[in-house]
Amino acid sequence: MATSESASLSKTVKQQYMDLPQGDKVQAMYIWIDGTGEGLRCKTRTLDSEPKTIDDLPEWNFDGSSTYQSEGSNSDMYLIPAAMFRDPFRKDPNKLVLCEVLKYNRKPTETNLRLMCKKIMEMVENQVPWFGMEQEYTILGTDGHPFGWPSNGFPGPQGPYYCGVGADKAYGRDIVEAHYRACLYAGVKICGTNAEVMPAQWEFQVGPCEGINMGDHLWAARFILHRVCEDFGVVASFDPKPIPGNWNGAGCHTNFSTKEMREDGGLRGIEDSIEKLGRRHRYHICAYDPKGGLDNARRLTGHHETSNIHEFSAGVANRGASIRIPRSVGQDKKGYFEDRRPSANCDPYAVTEALIRTCLLSEEGEEPKEYSK
């Protein structure tokens, strides 16, 4: 398995410089989603003082022709600060700044799905929608080979790796622990982690987050994971089916509830939402991966703890269904449900917006409804 040459550079030498005082200046790393809808980009600027809120952060710009977001003849794009986190790599008072991207005419780029998601969330904020997303990923070498797998073969079959302990079962735990602590430091609402079914595959959970915060915190957690893996010289892949054959894919199961669902008798609201989702299956499949369902088609086969991409299903404690109602929710008659269809490389803004449109705004059909400002 190949690792990055950068990882072999001396961290001790680097630390001599990172320990130098920076005076009153603050480094703010601006982060944005590029034109692929999956990749993240970043660059840093110096601020004269520590920002306390988003309003303290200036807009910035970048060359969109180098990020698949514009042509070279008109390539200036605007970075609009949207969410701010503590920087776990440079430490306080430095910041990570998640940004929206606007074109030269101040309209959102095709992969800026946050703007519309925020608008939809504001329409239902009185229902207090909560989300929790379970982000699966696979650790790869820079050559695309899964971390810890034999160079000319495969590890033993799936079975001992899920929540496994031991050098022959858990591949890459140092990365997982570093990422977890970095997220806690940053203020990301990470709430758990575990080894997954396929060796070198892991999961972390983010939530509960209300409204637009779900997308903000998951994208921030993804960025931090990429940076941690960069330090270790490996790659975090969100491909929904990184290894073909008899190996589990990677999803981003999404848990959803409203204030009504969480209160006594809330099961009725859960069942109503599931009925609406069943009538709009194709719309959700298109929204649940960046390629309109093509990525998920490799994963949602009806095998390896997935439902069939062409069929909608729901059930209590059924991990082979599109929608799972946890057993405790069935017993308590209130709580939340889990949509197991989103792919690991989904855009959380698209997923959470789709759930709100269907479950709370009662939209129907295969296209999202347009609302007046």
Side-chain angles (χ1 to χ4, degrees):
M1 185 198 74
T3 57
S4 166
E5 289 294 326
S6 297
S8 64
L9 295 174
S10 172
K11 306 304 179 186
T12 303
V13 172
K14 174 191 172 187
Q15 195 58 42
Q16 294 178 24
Y17 300 100
M18 298 306 291
D19 288 340
L20 292 172
Q22 59 187 73
D24 296 329
K25 303 296 184 180
V26 171
Q27 291 173 284
M29 179 174 283
Y30 281 44
I31 304 159
W32 69 97
I33 302 163
D34 68 17
T36 66
E38 301 179 60
L40 287 165
R41 308 293 180 114
C42 65
K43 64 176 187 171
T44 301
R45 68 181 300 164
T46 303
L47 305 177
D48 290 332
S49 60
E50 182 179 359
K52 303 300 182 183
T53 69
I54 281 293
D55 295 332
D56 296 334
L57 292 161
E59 292 184 11
W60 206 6
N61 56 65
F62 68 95
D63 171 17
S65 67
S66 299
T67 60
Y68 315 115
Q69 287 171 296
S70 71
E71 298 178 359
S73 58
N74 198 359
S75 65
D76 272 5
M77 315 290 280
Y78 295 102
L79 289 172
I80 313 299
M84 183 170 64
F85 300 88
R86 297 168 70 194
D87 187 338
F89 306 103
R90 293 166 173 153
K91 302 189 177 68
D92 290 338
N94 303 300
K95 305 296 181 185
L96 302 180
V97 184
L98 186 67
C99 299
E100 289 189 24
V101 180
L102 302 182
K103 300 177 184 177
Y104 69 94
N105 57 6
R106 309 289 293 186
K107 292 184 178 181
T109 58
E110 286 72 17
T111 54
N112 177 3
L113 305 186
R114 187 183 189 276
L115 198 66
M116 179 55 69
C117 180
K118 188 170 187 290
K119 177 181 176 181
I120 295 299
M121 293 298 172
E122 289 170 349
M123 293 173 64
V124 298
E125 60 185 353
N126 63 320
Q127 299 189 55
V128 198
W130 285 4
F131 302 92
M133 300 186 81
E134 305 169 20
Q135 177 69 71
E136 295 179 335
Y137 64 96
T138 309
I139 302 174
L140 307 176
T142 53
D143 56 359
H145 193 74
F147 180 84
W149 285 34
S151 57
N152 294 309
F154 297 92
Q158 296 182 157
Y161 309 107
Y162 173 70
C163 297
V165 179
D168 58 341
K169 300 178 182 68
Y171 298 9
R173 192 185 296 275
D174 284 355
I175 293 163
V176 176
E177 293 296 334
H179 173 250
Y180 201 150
R181 189 62 61 88
C183 282
L184 290 174
Y185 180 94
V188 170
K189 288 191 174 182
I190 188 169
C191 60
T193 189
N194 59 268
E196 267 302 334
V197 177
M198 187 180 82
Q201 185 186 76
W202 295 81
E203 173 184 301
F204 64 87
Q205 303 92 33
V206 176
C209 294
E210 184 176 339
I212 196 66
N213 290 328
M214 184 68 255
D216 291 347
H217 281 250
L218 190 65
W219 275 115
R222 285 176 174 177
F223 173 81
I224 292 170
L225 178 61
H226 285 307
R227 278 286 287 104
V228 168
C229 284
E230 181 182 320
D231 283 346
F232 282 97
V234 295
V235 175
S237 170
F238 297 117
D239 190 302
K241 188 70 174 179
I243 307 298
N246 195 26
W247 302 98
N248 273 36
C252 194
H253 303 156
T254 300
N255 302 280
F256 172 62
S257 70
T258 62
K259 185 174 185 291
E260 177 190 8
M261 294 176 192
R262 296 187 292 272
E263 294 176 343
D264 289 343
L267 183 60
R268 178 175 299 177
I270 292 171
E271 291 173 341
D272 287 346
S273 289
I274 293 173
E275 186 176 334
K276 293 175 184 177
L277 290 167
R279 296 195 295 265
R280 216 179 186 207
H281 180 60
R282 182 174 173 81
Y283 164 74
H284 282 266
I285 288 297
C286 289
Y288 283 0
D289 81 49
K291 296 181 179 64
L294 293 177
D295 275 347
N296 242 343
R298 295 184 284 121
R299 166 181 163 258
L300 296 179
T301 61
H303 304 290
H304 304 108
E305 299 182 51
T306 69
S307 58
N308 188 299
I309 193 170
H310 302 296
E311 300 170 1
F312 180 85
S313 57
V316 175
N318 184 357
R319 283 177 164 77
S322 308
I323 305 293
R324 180 181 72 92
I325 299 175
R327 192 170 299 283
S328 61
V329 173
Q331 294 169 348
D332 298 341
K333 309 297 183 186
K334 63 179 179 180
Y336 66 97
F337 66 85
E338 176 192 48
D339 193 333
R340 296 177 62 82
R341 295 171 294 177
S343 65
N345 61 344
C346 70
D347 188 322
Y349 298 127
V351 172
T352 55
E353 177 188 326
L355 283 166
I356 295 297
R357 285 179 177 274
T358 300
C359 298
L360 303 189
L361 298 179
S362 300
E363 291 186 17
E364 296 182 349
E366 295 183 11
E367 296 296 330
K369 181 180 177 181
E370 292 189 15
Y371 297 92
S372 56
K373 294 183 179 179

